Amino acid sequence: MLGGAAVHFSLAASFFTEVRPVGPVGDDFGAAEFEVLERRGVLTDDIERVAGGAKSFFWRGRYEFDLNVAHTEDTQLGVFGEFEPKLSEASRQAETLFLANIQPDLQRQVRAQCTAGRFSALDSMNLWIDTAKDSLLAAIAEVDCLIVNDAEIRQLTGEPNLARAARAVMELGPRAVVAKQGEYGAALFTEDGFFALPGFPLEEVRDPTGAGDSFAGGFVGYLDSQEGEIDEACLRRAMGYGTVLASFNVEQFGTERVAALTREEIDERFAALHAMTRFEPLPIS
Amino acid sequence: MLGGAAVHFSLAASFFTEVRPVGPVGDDFGAAEFEVLERRGVLTDDIERVAGGAKSFFWRGRYEFDLNVAHTEDTQLGVFGEFEPKLSEASRQAETLFLANIQPDLQRQVRAQCTAGRFSALDSMNLWIDTAKDSLLAAIAEVDCLIVNDAEIRQLTGEPNLARAARAVMELGPRAVVAKQGEYGAALFTEDGFFALPGFPLEEVRDPTGAGDSFAGGFVGYLDSQEGEIDEACLRRAMGYGTVLASFNVEQFGTERVAALTREEIDERFAALHAMTRFEPLPIS
């Protein structure tokens, strides 16, 4: 079914700002798929339709008992195998850039074409740490924020302690590191300190696929909507919106839930998340 | 080295209230070990010294790369193999009871001797779910709060979704369920809702052994120090103190760090934890 990092990210970010996904699709990505994006106001001009029968990127996997561990069963690069990004002028001028998980050389090509950047973030995965580490380190050095799973921060830096691993990433260039932790939530490391939110508790979780990209969409989309400095308070609110968008995404399969979401539902859950994480530090008697 | 649930719990709780650990020790638990407890004001009258050369309970294990997974290498019940708890009158009158992880029939024997209870909590582990489930379920039904690892809540209830699993536990009797999540922190489920805190971020983690019991000591010890109703706000603050005590415990091996801790350090870290988990839900522009 319809999925993929760019799709999940775009739908989540569309509640906050104008989104222009960049990437190739095959003949199997047709009018119905475009409509899911366009109904949410996503601008699809930079989606490159590759003719000639090649297929869109494809992933299939399964999850363990508690849904915290995913096992990949099949990955087909399809049209991504030959992709050379050429951004439209509108995309080149974007103030905010999210480089979704793909070969880091491709991420760098996109990054190099975006010159007006105010905030940029990057996702990656263990595959690229294993097979393209130098290129990945160069890509990370060129962004403001790394958003990856906590185990990948450890693997990337060879440092088992997450706080030290995050500091090592910041020494490469980024001023913020977001460690995604599945159902446990996400943690934010910056020069100014540490912040963490739990995953929003849900009694119905159908499909964790795309949760990380939905998180990034809520996080980066919210930041793009904010004028003025992206400071610690702003990043913390963005963590909240990321958490909320990820939580909606997992309630149904594929894009079903987020495609049908409303802004009111987002604001309601954001307020609930705030209430669930507050405590009053009264002195003990 | 010196350790064990009762020791870690007692040292952590000693910063908040009077603590009377109940349990047997062998000849290997001597003046030096008693002194670690007594220097923190722990009342040792209910520690039963078993003569005749039997050894104290012993555990040895190792941790994986990221310290989140422990592997047991050796467990020796020692004097616990024959233990029959006989509580002093002072212990029977205790308002607050923590049943540390041990065979659930023993937990029930202690529970039955405490009649004045205002708040009781219980820890357990996968071993007892596998080998003594009926007795464990009966023990859980007799306490106000279950404090276990999140995977154990899932295993106990056969429910992969943690929120549903916690609700299933509350249907057995407890009005609160604390899911310990290692470095990810801990979550609190009650009838009134959900609350979660991340683990306190540390750049130096030497030994996770006893972190769960130190958490329970901070949590239960704080609750005992509070007069009036143990409401949601009170439980949330207790989660904060549990988190803080667990974080100190892992900074050094065994009991070293908590035995040398001060109340000022606890309060300082509690305030830092509060600051690390706050965000301001301003409306987006």
Side-chain angles (χ1 to χ4, degrees):
Chain A
M1 64 193 311
L2 178 62
V7 168
H8 285 292
F9 177 92
S10 297
L11 291 175
S14 72
F15 290 92
F16 303 96
T17 190
E18 198 176 84
V19 193
R20 292 179 175 272
V22 173
V25 295
D27 295 338
D28 52 353
F29 196 100
E33 286 74 25
F34 275 100
E35 205 189 321
V36 171
L37 295 172
E38 284 160 1
R39 237 183 295 156
R40 284 288 329 138
V42 174
L43 299 165
T44 56
D45 316 350
D46 283 88
I47 297 181
E48 194 179 315
R49 307 184 72 163
V50 180
K55 289 204 170 176
S56 302
F57 181 94
F58 178 85
W59 178 86
R60 188 181 71 226
R62 64 184 170 80
Y63 294 89
E64 289 195 0
F65 172 68
D66 64 4
L67 302 182
N68 278 325
V69 181
H71 297 279
T72 292
E73 296 192 335
D74 190 14
T75 302
Q76 296 172 25
L77 280 183
V79 291
F80 251 117
E82 310 262 306
F83 180 57
E84 289 180 19
K86 290 172 288 293
L87 273 60
S88 66
E89 193 52 36
S91 282
R92 287 170 186 266
Q93 297 299 328
E95 288 202 332
T96 306
L97 173 66
F98 176 64
L99 298 164
N101 171 32
I102 196 69
Q103 217 286 345
D105 291 326
L106 278 180
Q107 294 179 312
R108 296 189 70 197
Q109 286 177 44
V110 173
R111 178 71 189 86
Q113 293 177 43
C114 289
T115 50
R118 170 174 168 258
F119 186 83
S120 56
L122 178 146
D123 187 10
S124 192
M125 70 185 294
N126 49 4
L127 173 66
W128 311 121
I129 302 173
D130 290 335
T131 63
K133 188 167 177 181
D134 288 347
S135 174
L136 176 57
L137 292 173
I140 290 170
E142 294 163 0
V143 296
D144 300 299
C145 179
L146 180 67
I147 307 178
V148 290
N149 294 331
D150 61 345
E152 289 157 354
I153 300 176
R154 295 187 158 102
Q155 187 191 348
L156 179 73
T157 58
E159 170 56 71
N161 179 288
L162 189 61
R164 287 217 296 244
R167 192 152 50 79
V169 171
M170 287 190 270
E171 283 164 11
L172 298 173
R175 66 181 180 90
V177 176
V178 176
K180 295 182 289 184
Q181 301 168 324
E183 76 161 319
Y184 299 116
L188 169 71
F189 296 87
T190 63
E191 276 176 30
D192 296 333
F194 173 84
F195 176 68
L197 284 176
F200 192 89
L202 296 168
E203 296 219 351
E204 292 290 344
V205 176
R206 292 234 161 71
D207 180 10
T209 315
D213 297 304
S214 302
F215 178 95
F219 180 85
V220 177
Y222 173 76
L223 291 178
D224 187 65
S225 74
Q226 296 299 291
E227 293 174 15
E229 197 199 347
I230 295 178
D231 58 10
E232 180 78 16
C234 187
L235 288 167
R236 289 184 173 200
R237 285 194 295 278
M239 291 281 288
Y241 285 106
T243 299
V244 165
L245 268 295
S247 76
F248 280 116
N249 177 75
V250 304
E251 288 185 342
Q252 291 180 27
F253 286 97
T255 60
E256 286 168 3
R257 185 66 180 96
V258 177
L261 194 60
T262 67
R263 182 57 202 253
E264 290 65 36
E265 288 175 305
I266 293 171
D267 291 338
E268 197 180 318
R269 189 166 287 185
F270 183 86
L273 178 68
H274 184 255
M276 283 171 181
T277 56
R278 284 186 70 170
F279 67 103
E280 301 304 327
L282 296 184
I284 71 161
S285 62
Chain B
M1 64 193 312
L2 178 61
V7 169
H8 285 292
F9 177 93
S10 296
L11 291 175
S14 73
F15 291 92
F16 304 96
T17 190
E18 199 177 83
V19 192
R20 292 178 176 272
V22 173
V25 295
D27 294 337
D28 50 355
F29 196 102
E33 286 73 25
F34 275 100
E35 204 189 323
V36 171
L37 295 172
E38 284 160 2
R39 236 182 298 154
R40 285 286 330 135
V42 174
L43 300 165
T44 57
D45 317 348
D46 284 270
I47 297 181
E48 193 178 316
R49 307 184 73 164
V50 180
K55 290 204 168 175
S56 300
F57 182 93
F58 178 84
W59 178 86
R60 188 180 73 225
R62 64 183 170 80
Y63 294 89
E64 290 197 359
F65 172 68
D66 64 4
L67 303 183
N68 277 324
V69 180
H71 297 280
T72 292
E73 296 191 336
D74 190 12
T75 302
Q76 296 172 26
L77 279 183
V79 290
F80 251 118
E82 311 262 306
F83 181 56
E84 288 181 21
K86 290 171 286 296
L87 273 60
S88 66
E89 193 52 34
S91 282
R92 288 170 185 266
Q93 297 299 327
E95 290 202 331
T96 306
L97 173 65
F98 177 64
L99 298 164
N101 172 31
I102 195 69
Q103 216 286 346
D105 291 327
L106 278 180
Q107 294 178 312
R108 296 189 69 195
Q109 286 177 43
V110 173
R111 177 70 189 87
Q113 292 177 45
C114 288
T115 49
R118 170 175 168 258
F119 186 83
S120 56
L122 178 145
D123 187 11
S124 192
M125 70 184 296
N126 50 4
L127 173 66
W128 311 120
I129 302 174
D130 290 335
T131 63
K133 188 167 177 182
D134 287 347
S135 175
L136 176 57
L137 291 173
I140 290 170
E142 294 163 0
V143 296
D144 299 300
C145 180
L146 180 68
I147 307 179
V148 290
N149 294 330
D150 60 345
E152 289 157 353
I153 299 176
R154 293 187 160 101
Q155 186 190 349
L156 179 73
T157 59
E159 169 57 69
N161 179 288
L162 188 62
R164 288 216 296 243
R167 192 153 49 78
V169 170
M170 286 190 271
E171 282 163 12
L172 297 174
R175 65 183 180 90
V177 176
V178 175
K180 295 183 287 184
Q181 301 168 325
E183 76 161 316
Y184 298 115
L188 169 70
F189 296 86
T190 62
E191 275 177 32
D192 296 333
F194 173 84
F195 176 68
L197 285 176
F200 192 88
L202 296 169
E203 295 218 352
E204 292 290 344
V205 176
R206 292 235 160 70
D207 180 9
T209 314
D213 297 303
S214 301
F215 178 95
F219 181 86
V220 176
Y222 173 76
L223 291 178
D224 188 64
S225 73
Q226 296 299 291
E227 292 175 16
E229 197 198 348
I230 295 177
D231 58 10
E232 179 78 17
C234 188
L235 288 167
R236 288 183 174 201
R237 284 195 297 277
M239 291 281 289
Y241 285 106
T243 299
V244 165
L245 269 296
S247 76
F248 280 115
N249 177 75
V250 304
E251 287 184 342
Q252 291 179 27
F253 286 97
T255 59
E256 286 169 2
R257 185 66 180 96
V258 176
L261 194 61
T262 68
R263 182 57 201 251
E264 290 65 35
E265 290 176 305
I266 293 172
D267 291 339
E268 197 180 319
R269 189 166 286 185
F270 184 86
L273 179 68
H274 184 254
M276 283 172 180
T277 55
R278 281 187 70 170
F279 66 105
E280 300 304 326
L282 296 183
I284 72 163
S285 63

